[in-house]
Amino acid sequence: MIKIICVGRIKEKFFQDAIEEYLKRIKKYTNIEIIEVNDSNIDVENVSLEKEKRQIEKAINYKDYIITLEIDGNELNSVELSKKIEKIQIFNSNITFIIGGSHGIHNDIKKKSDYKLSFSKMTFPHQLFRIILLEQIYRSYKIINNERYHK
């Protein structure tokens, strides 16, 4: 099972439609769940991170393999990510991805992470990044199952 914990909600219909499409595609391979926690909307970074941390911790199952999405994390290509997912699921059937809010992820959550993953040194809007992550998870399962996928 894949679980994605995200800070913030998706309001735009076009983003929601893309997310629903990838969820439908991924469900062919594994169960997947998205858990949205409220964005604190507080400008003071440490206060915001603390508030979001408490919400994220409620959604984490510490038996899961936790992957935090961090700008300074490890960069993988699509094949490497698929191998990582495949290897993790041999020993742990549940993977939890965590996407932080506008201030990132609290250090306490980062410390609990089993793997820190970066898609780029660039900053992406959280709504768009959720779709990018879902697309890469879908692509990973296509690779794992030796199925063709457009390039």
Side-chain angles (χ1 to χ4, degrees):
M1 174 173 183
I2 302 284
K3 181 168 50 175
I4 301 172
I5 302 171
C6 311
V7 175
R9 308 228 181 270
I10 302 293
K11 298 173 184 89
E12 299 87 352
K13 180 157 177 25
F14 57 93
F15 285 137
Q16 291 172 348
D17 290 344
I19 289 166
E20 287 305 316
E21 179 61 30
Y22 279 110
L23 289 174
K24 182 175 76 176
R25 292 179 186 193
I26 294 167
K27 286 179 182 176
K28 174 182 175 188
Y29 304 101
T30 189
N31 292 324
I32 185 161
E33 174 185 16
I34 294 179
I35 298 171
E36 295 179 328
V37 300
N38 293 325
D39 188 334
S40 71
N41 290 323
I42 298 171
D43 288 335
V44 181
E45 185 174 336
N46 63 333
V47 176
S48 178
L49 286 171
E50 184 65 34
K51 188 172 182 181
E52 291 168 0
K53 175 188 90 161
R54 288 191 299 266
Q55 293 180 77
I56 290 169
E57 285 179 328
K58 289 177 187 174
I60 291 176
N61 180 339
Y62 290 103
K63 293 179 183 176
D64 293 352
Y65 190 94
I66 297 169
I67 298 176
T68 48
L69 283 299
E70 303 181 32
I71 250 180
D72 294 323
N74 302 296
E75 291 187 23
L76 303 175
N77 65 37
S78 296
V79 172
E80 291 168 335
L81 179 60
S82 71
K83 288 178 181 176
K84 181 89 177 150
I85 288 172
E86 186 175 36
K87 184 178 177 183
I88 292 166
Q89 290 190 319
I90 290 171
F91 301 104
N92 194 326
S93 59
N94 298 321
I95 301 173
T96 297
F97 290 90
I98 301 174
I99 303 172
S102 59
H103 295 293
I105 299 172
H106 194 283
N107 282 333
D108 289 352
I109 301 292
K110 290 179 182 181
K111 288 176 188 172
K112 295 171 184 171
S113 176
D114 294 298
Y115 192 78
K116 294 164 184 20
L117 178 63
S118 174
F119 276 37
S120 172
K121 295 293 181 194
M122 291 184 263
T123 302
F124 297 102
H126 292 281
Q127 307 92 316
L128 183 58
F129 185 75
R130 194 179 308 186
I131 296 165
I132 294 168
L133 174 60
L134 286 167
E135 190 281 333
Q136 285 299 302
I137 291 169
Y138 174 63
R139 185 180 294 268
S140 291
Y141 279 102
K142 295 290 273 186
I143 292 168
I144 291 167
N145 287 283
N146 296 312
E147 296 175 9
R148 288 184 50 114
Y149 190 81
H150 63 81
K151 295 184 178 192

